Amino acid sequence: MSSKLFAPIKLRDLELANRAVVAPMCQYSADNGNMNDWHMLHLGSLSNSGAGLLIVEATGVELIGRITPGCTALANDENEAAMKRVVQSCKRFGTAKIGIQLGHAGRKASCKRPWESKSHSDPLTEGAWQTKAPSAIPFAPGWHTPEAYTLPEIEQLKAKFVEATKRADRVGFDLIEIHGAHGYLLHQFISPLSNKRTDQYGGSRENRIRLPLEIFAAMREVWPKHKPLGIRISAVDWMDDGLKIEDSVFFAQKLKEAGCDFIDVSSGGNHPDQKIQLGPGYQVPFAEAIKKATGIPTMTVGLITEAEQAEAIVAGGQADMVALARGFLDDPHWAWHAAYKLGAEVPVSVQYARATLKTWSPAKRYVPAAKAAE
């Protein structure tokens, strides 16, 4: 059997050993934006998961762009040094290529950590900071009211994305994914639900995507030409008056013209009344629509748990890469086990090689106790 999921893929000069991706997962455990020993343990494990690519959690380009006080940032020299320590260790001992998701939480910043909240995410009371957004509209009742960006502040924001991009290169990342999804700042500009501006950054669809495209172009200018730069988007808002897939196809076409190397296709997150139609692989059709309309490589994510499911998505041409989050938390060697099922092989560190040698059949681990006793 020749697995499509475990076939290599090349983005610019970066070759990934396979198309299984560890999606960015916030850990809410940083100190003033700085990675620490928790990130060393967490990312160190996932860098040896067998996935072709590991993307580091949503990282603020400035401290007020963090989702919570525990989120990582790449906004100053201390952030950069702490992150470089972790990333260089993962690159030295791990097998996965490593990317980072750079973004800004906008009006959804200044939140409690999930384990400190009654719901998954509640706004901070003590230690809160002033949030910023395209328009002065809170995310939901009881949330902070953000200040609307002025035009000079938008120019400063672009500069912060550029500076974080330079820092990411110095840290040693192989790839950058811009966070333009899940109701965070760039999604807030794109969506008519949160962008009520009347200047060049609001109103028409073309105006609402203007800032993300300007930020992409500015980052592409300073990011090494051989390294891939992509973006994560929410393809639909799951609201009647929100973004539709046609809007995201239009945005994807403009991104392709700007030199975007891949689009990670998610959905929702920008309104508390969204009605998401959950189900296995529920976001795959959005990635497929963008891929077919534009030809740009896509990544899909969301309720994808099984090896056969991921294989069918890639083999069927619905997406080029499949990302998992909770699946890798549950099984840090998900890609190993998926490869076994699909008759493929994955890169394995020499320290772990004896667990995957052909003389040691992984199937032996899964023999039921009753069978083993016969």
Side-chain angles (χ1 to χ4, degrees), residues 20 73 83 106 219 262 338:
M83 190 170 283
M219 292 173 67
F262 67 93

Side-chain angles (χ1 to χ4, degrees), residues 61 157-167 215 218-219 222:
V61 299
L157 175 68
K158 287 189 279 189
K160 287 167 184 172
F161 272 92
V162 167
E163 185 58 33
T165 301
K166 294 176 180 177
R167 291 184 185 278
I215 286 174
M219 292 173 67
V222 299

Side-chain angles (χ1 to χ4, degrees), residues 28-51:
Y28 312 104
S29 300
D31 303 310
N32 298 317
N34 298 326
M35 284 189 172
N36 53 43
D37 287 347
W38 171 258
H39 300 88
M40 184 73 80
L41 291 167
H42 168 68
L43 294 172
S45 171
L46 293 176
S47 70
N48 278 302
S49 65

Side-chain angles (χ1 to χ4, degrees), residues 5 11 22 28 53 57 60 80 190 192 194 207 212 235 243-244 317 340-341 347 372 374:
L5 179 64
L11 301 171
V22 181
Y28 312 104
L53 175 65
E57 66 185 85
E80 182 180 331
I190 297 166
S194 46
N207 281 356
L243 291 171
K244 305 294 190 294
Y340 300 154
K341 290 180 180 179
E374 291 178 0

Side-chain angles (χ1 to χ4, degrees), residues 328-348:
F328 275 104
L329 290 185
D330 174 65
D331 179 3
H333 289 138
W334 184 92
W336 286 17
H337 303 145
Y340 300 154
K341 290 180 180 179
L342 299 172
E345 295 183 0
V346 291
V348 178

Side-chain angles (χ1 to χ4, degrees), residues 1 7 11-12 46 57 71 80 89 101 104 123-124 166 195 209 258 343 354 361 370 372:
M1 176 181 178
L11 301 171
R12 294 201 179 231
L46 293 176
E57 66 185 85
C71 289
E80 182 180 331
S89 180
Q101 187 182 70
H104 194 297
L124 283 171
K166 294 176 180 177
N195 185 345
I209 65 173
R354 63 183 179 274
S361 170

Side-chain angles (χ1 to χ4, degrees), residues 195-199 201-205 207-208:
N195 185 345
K196 305 298 182 183
R197 299 177 72 94
T198 58
D199 60 11
Y201 293 105
S204 68
R205 180 168 66 180
N207 281 356
R208 287 185 278 108

